[in-house]
Amino acid sequence: MSTRFRKGMLICFIAALVVVLAACSNNSDGSDQANNSSQQAAKKVATDEKTSDAETSAPAETTYPVTLSNYTTENGTWVKKDQTFDKAPERVVANTQGAAELMIRLGLTDKLVGVAALFGSVPEDIADEFKQIPVLAEGYVGKEVTIGATPDLVVGRGGLFEDADWGVGTVSSLNDMGIKTYVQSTSVPDASLDSLYQDITELGEIFNVQANAAAYIETLKARENALSARASAETINYASFSDNGDGTIGIYNGNGDTFIESAMSLINMHNMLINETGTLSLEKLIEINPDAMIISRYAGGIDPEETIKKLLANKQVQNINAVKNKKIYIIDFNNFWGYGDSIFTGVEGLADDLGL
């Protein structure tokens, strides 16, 4: 017999007892006492049931060791690789600004002993906390400096887990040194907004801050719904471009940027070149004729305003819809390629620019 059924039977019995005692004598002291006693018993049952419901809905606590299915590369392909945590990590290096910001949002600032790749603006509401994190490199950080920070966990963008001057070391090499890794699922192929929620959930489990993680996911889902409500009635087809630094315009295909595509789809924007590979020419841009074009601003990069002027002055592209209608927009690099929660800030900004 279930606990809820037994409690229901008890309440029915108490209610019946109240009626019987009241019928015997309205003026009896014994009856009054029984009535009071039965009311107290009924209140206790209700209170116990509320307490039981509250306990059921309470966020789970992490029981260590905890094993999560994460990622590594084999022959250039991303594959699953388990990471087991015997306790919550104490010293964390974030290989990008976006990864560090996500840690801060989960209340984990004090765990961060290093951050790199500071290519965008830091949100004002967490700027003071971000300043507390040691900067290992303004650009990408190498393996030697990363290890020098003595981390027990390296977290961040998958493409930076390489044994290169710009990489923190491969997952296998770091694991061999006893350093755990967490590759953001937003930064591997076929990622979507659900990948972001997965990252937040798993980081919450790793650090035993599951209540913080659950609450933040709810906040982000509300922003997701708000963006969907602003979606363009017609699909806005766009293309990304950049400055090659030699007087020419570069076209970025965004091949593999499925996380960004998922977020942009909230307002019904679509990257026309996402399935293209190789180097793209201006002729390709003219051929696809995008409705809008975007260019990113990042620290140390060429001023995008100057690149836009250069594009608008190019006679080859004058018949492109985005150029004719001046629908060219600047986005923050960190918002889109930080692979974190700031993707919402980026898409919200675009929605504002588009008048949605």
Side-chain angles (χ1 to χ4, degrees), residues 26 102 192 200 205 276 289:
N26 288 334
L102 190 55
S192 67
I200 295 171
E205 189 172 0
E276 298 288 335
N289 192 19

Side-chain angles (χ1 to χ4, degrees), residues 95-98 101 115-122 130 137-141 157 160 166 296-301 331-335 337-338:
N95 68 19
T96 65
Q97 174 184 334
E101 289 176 3
V115 64
L118 310 186
F119 292 135
S121 57
V122 178
F130 195 91
E138 295 286 340
Y140 297 123
V141 64
R157 188 198 308 176
L160 299 179
W166 44 263
S296 68
R297 184 193 304 278
Y298 62 95
I331 60 175
D332 183 281
F333 181 90
N334 180 59
N335 286 342
W337 288 276

